[in-house]
Amino acid sequence: MPKTYTLPPLPYAYNALEPYISQQIMTLHHDKHHNAYVTGANAALDKLEKARAGTLQIDIKGTLRDLSFNVGGHKLHSIFWTNMAAAGKGGGGAPTGKLADKITADFGSVDKFKAQFSDAAKAVEGSGWALLLYDHEIDSLVLTQVEKQNFMHLPELPILLSIDVWEHAYYLQYLNDRAKYVEAWWNVVNWEDVGKRLEKAIK
Ligand code: MN
């Protein structure tokens, strides 16, 4: 049997991000969508194992695409959950310390960073993500978009902050108003988690 991925529990209650992200969205998003990526990733690993054993014929290209999509979804959601916290209880406010200094140095100001990150999130074509990464080579924070959840981001650059802009992340509450969701989302950003990820990335 191949090694398997498991669905991590949310680090807070399903209703913890209200009123910005509803309990219904969080429940479906975590228990159904994220869980489906975990199941899909494990199914792809299992197919590859069976193909090696000679008990299954597979389309290797399609199977690896499945694996990328589902592992990508699993990893991105695992970061996304921890990038958020209840408003006023670790969520929202402003970054502090080294993270604030780094954002200011690389983007001009925290407000300029938030504006450009929001622009990136709002402008994702179809389903996808906006990410903040750190590039050790140029000692700089870098923005990118991910289409769907196949990893199109720059290899080796660790993810510090992520926002899911698939419709399943906001439609039940914000309908088609992605911009409103993105603006509300800043109220639940866990800057401490982002700061910890930056420290780890810089080491
Ligand atoms: Mn999602």
Side-chain angles (χ1 to χ4, degrees):
M1 279 294 290
K3 291 172 182 169
T4 56
Y5 292 102
T6 53
L7 180 67
L10 281 183
Y12 35 71
Y14 290 104
N15 64 357
L17 305 183
E18 289 194 340
Y20 303 105
I21 304 178
S22 72
Q23 176 171 354
Q24 185 186 33
I25 287 177
M26 291 302 290
T27 304
L28 291 170
H29 199 172
H30 177 269
D31 293 7
K32 302 296 180 188
H33 294 280
H34 187 171
N35 191 53
Y37 304 135
V38 170
T39 306
N42 290 333
L45 287 180
D46 190 53
K47 276 188 183 176
L48 291 163
E49 170 92 2
K50 286 183 174 135
R52 288 193 293 274
T55 57
L56 183 72
Q57 286 247 321
I58 61 165
D59 162 17
I60 187 78
K61 199 171 152 188
T63 306
L64 291 178
R65 187 184 290 270
D66 265 3
L67 186 68
S68 166
F69 175 82
N70 287 293
V71 172
H74 170 52
K75 303 276 187 191
L76 284 169
H77 284 87
S78 298
I79 294 170
F80 181 58
W81 307 136
T82 54
N83 275 166
M84 299 186 290
K89 294 178 191 166
T96 56
K98 278 184 189 171
L99 175 63
D101 294 345
K102 190 65 183 148
I103 289 174
T104 302
D106 291 351
F107 287 89
S109 71
V110 171
D111 283 345
K112 283 180 183 166
F113 158 69
K114 286 172 74 173
Q116 197 163 52
F117 188 90
S118 292
D119 275 353
K122 292 169 191 172
V124 169
E125 196 172 345
S127 298
W129 299 71
L131 306 178
L132 175 69
L133 313 170
Y134 173 73
D135 191 339
H136 209 281
E137 186 176 343
I138 55 172
D139 181 29
S140 185
L141 298 168
V142 178
L143 292 179
T144 191
Q145 292 178 327
V146 173
E147 290 178 10
K148 293 194 288 183
Q149 46 216 15
N150 286 304
F151 269 85
M152 297 171 75
H153 81 265
L154 313 178
E156 291 201 66
L157 306 196
I159 300 166
L160 310 182
L161 178 64
S162 62
I163 181 170
D164 188 340
V165 293
W166 282 56
E167 284 188 345
H168 68 223
Y170 63 88
Y171 204 89
L172 288 170
Q173 189 174 359
Y174 295 94
L175 301 179
N176 59 333
D177 197 345
R178 183 193 285 178
K180 195 173 171 193
Y181 156 70
V182 170
E183 292 309 324
W185 176 79
W186 290 108
N187 289 292
V188 294
V189 169
N190 183 343
W191 293 108
E192 191 186 338
D193 179 65
V194 182
K196 280 182 191 162
R197 290 176 187 278
L198 175 63
E199 277 189 30
K200 199 174 154 196
I202 284 176
K203 266 179 197 166

